[in-house]
């Protein structure tokens, strides 16, 4: 099969396309013919060996995929050949086939195409669980979303609006903000236009209730300062490449709650509720990923570079069926 291969750590350009053997099939696993794979910022970090988990080389990058089950091993429950499924992992998605644990896969609802299914899982699940179970956003609250043009950020804009929040989108270009507006952002802030704290004060004079931050870096502290007393600051990731240093006196004086998001920390009952709600939102069309660019497998490096440089708007998809 054809696959993207990372044989040495480095920039996206170290990745090459080659023919390799199909992955072996262990008990509890299924082989999926990949129709589409989505690119996430951690994929770039894994290739550079800068992610929290180091993957030994050589490996196939890619953490999010959708396709059709073409072979099953023992102990895979009720999954069968021909089922359309999506899934996530650390690596393996940028290939024509992937062997995945059956328990990690979700059936794709009828009417949802491979591109949408591949792009929906990581960003929308991260954003929705963050908003519902960590931030506990309520209708009428003011939600500031940093990195509002990226995958998680744009999903948080869309889902925040669905949940009834007044969404303030913060991004680095007019194009990104235009897309954020189309997904429900009421206020648009280009952080290049001035000091972020002052820009946020102009649109949220009473202070924000919640900040969702998948970016980190220099934007985190001014965004935190924009919170009203008792506000909630949720740190989701550090796409800027810099982990911020927050003065704790701000947390003390304003009674701010700072929380991090991790899937494993979620209450099991709330997790199932959130997942069921997300499927309903997807099927109804109220929550769909914005796919800003589609690449072929041959141009997987270009897809990784676009995401790594922070130039992607929404999600970037690799179409495994595209020549």
């Amino acid at each position: 099969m054809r696959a993207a291969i990372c044989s040495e750590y480095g920039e996206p350009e170290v990745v090459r396309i080659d023919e390799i053997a199909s992955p072996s099939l262990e008990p509890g696993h299924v082989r999926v013919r990949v129709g589409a794979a989505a690119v996430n910022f951690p994929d770039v970090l894994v290739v550079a060996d800068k992610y929290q988990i180091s993957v030994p080389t050589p490996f196939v990058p890619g953490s999010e995929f959708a396709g059709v089950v073409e072979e099953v091993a023992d102990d895979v429950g009720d999954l069968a050949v021909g089922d359309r499924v999506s899934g996530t992992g650390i690596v393996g998605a940028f290939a024509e086939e992937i062997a995945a644990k059956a328990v990690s896969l979700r059936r794709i609802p009828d009417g949802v195409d491979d591109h949408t299914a591949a792009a929906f899982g990581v960003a929308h699940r991260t954003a929705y669980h963050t908003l519902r179970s960590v931030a506990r956003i309520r209708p009428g609250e003011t939600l500031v979303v940093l990195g509002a043009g990226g995958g998680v950020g744009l999903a948080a804009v869309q889902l925040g609006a669905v949940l009834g929040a007044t969404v303030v989108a913060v991004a680095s270009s007019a194009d990104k903000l235009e897309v954020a507006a189309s997904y429900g952002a009421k206020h648009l802030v280009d952080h290049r236009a001035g000091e972020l704290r002052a820009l946020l004060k102009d649109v949220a004079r009473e202070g924000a209730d919640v900040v969702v931050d998948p970016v980190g870096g220099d934007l985190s502290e001014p965004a935190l300062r924009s919170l009203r007393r008792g506000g909630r600051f949720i740190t989701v990731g550090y796409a800027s490449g810099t982990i911020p240093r927050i003065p704790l006196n701000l947390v003390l004086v304003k009674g701010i709650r700072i929380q991090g998001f991790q899937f494993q920390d979620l209450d099991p009952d709330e997790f199932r509720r959130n997942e069921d709600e997300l499927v309903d939102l997807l099927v109804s069309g109220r929550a769909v990923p914005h796919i800003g660019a589609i690449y072929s497998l041959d141009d997987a490096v270009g897809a990784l570079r676009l995401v790594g440089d922070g130039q992607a708007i929404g999600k970037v998809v690799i179409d495994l069926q595209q020549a």
Side-chain angles (χ1 to χ4, degrees):
M1 68 171 187
R2 297 178 72 244
I5 306 295
C6 178
S7 297
E8 59 178 308
Y9 301 122
E11 296 296 312
E13 287 72 21
V14 302
V15 173
R16 297 287 182 266
I17 309 302
D18 205 349
E19 290 279 347
I20 62 172
S22 295
S24 59
L25 202 59
E26 301 176 358
H29 287 63
V30 304
R31 189 186 317 280
V32 177
R33 168 68 59 172
V34 179
V39 185
N40 295 289
F41 187 70
D43 299 331
V44 180
L45 297 180
V46 170
V47 168
D49 198 27
K50 294 180 180 179
Y51 192 56
Q52 57 208 36
I53 297 172
S54 181
V55 179
T57 57
F59 62 87
V60 175
S63 54
E64 191 172 22
F65 62 91
V68 178
V69 175
E70 61 179 11
E71 185 180 357
V72 299
D74 297 328
D75 303 322
V76 297
D78 59 354
L79 280 180
V81 172
D83 286 345
R84 297 182 64 236
V85 295
S86 62
T88 60
I90 300 298
V91 293
F94 298 168
E96 292 177 328
E97 297 178 352
I98 186 172
K101 291 182 179 180
V103 295
S104 71
L105 301 175
R106 299 177 296 280
R107 283 188 173 85
I108 299 173
D110 293 341
V112 177
D113 61 70
D114 281 353
H115 289 181
T116 300
F120 187 77
V122 170
H124 274 73
R125 290 175 71 226
T126 297
Y128 198 68
H129 288 294
T130 294
L131 293 170
R132 281 286 270 142
S133 292
V134 184
R136 301 194 180 278
I137 198 77
R138 295 184 292 270
E141 290 191 315
T142 298
L143 166 66
V144 172
V145 179
L146 303 183
V152 172
L154 191 53
V157 167
Q158 183 184 60
L159 293 168
V162 167
L163 292 169
T166 298
V167 181
V168 180
V170 179
S172 60
S173 73
D175 290 342
K176 291 179 178 180
L177 290 172
E178 181 179 356
V179 173
S182 73
Y183 284 96
K186 184 174 180 180
H187 301 291
L188 309 176
V189 175
D190 184 337
H191 63 76
R192 303 170 306 170
E195 201 279 319
L196 181 58
R197 183 185 181 189
L199 294 171
L200 290 174
K201 188 172 181 60
D202 285 342
V203 298
R205 294 190 176 278
E206 302 301 319
D209 296 287
V210 175
V211 170
V212 171
D213 179 9
V215 178
D218 294 337
L219 301 183
S220 297
E221 183 180 331
L224 184 142
R225 288 179 181 272
S226 77
L227 286 166
R228 67 172 74 230
R229 172 170 288 279
R232 291 99 74 196
F233 184 98
I234 316 300
T235 176
V236 180
Y238 310 103
S240 68
T242 302
I243 298 173
R245 296 178 180 272
I246 300 295
L248 289 180
N249 63 304
L250 299 177
V251 179
L252 174 66
V253 171
K254 300 184 72 170
I256 291 168
R257 284 180 285 160
I258 298 179
Q259 294 178 265
F261 170 80
Q262 291 288 340
F263 277 107
Q264 61 265 33
D265 295 334
L266 297 171
D267 173 81
D269 291 336
E270 288 194 3
F271 179 86
R272 287 188 290 270
R273 177 205 65 191
N274 295 351
E275 292 286 305
D276 290 343
E277 291 175 354
L278 260 180
V279 171
D280 289 342
L281 290 170
L282 173 62
V283 172
S284 69
R286 297 178 68 201
V288 293
H290 177 83
I291 298 174
I294 300 173
Y295 289 77
S296 68
L297 179 61
D298 287 330
D299 201 10
V301 168
L304 286 163
R305 172 55 65 193
L306 187 70
V307 172
D309 287 348
Q311 299 303 307
I313 300 178
K315 294 302 292 274
V316 174
V317 166
I318 295 176
D319 187 334
L320 274 297
Q321 307 306 310
Q322 180 176 314

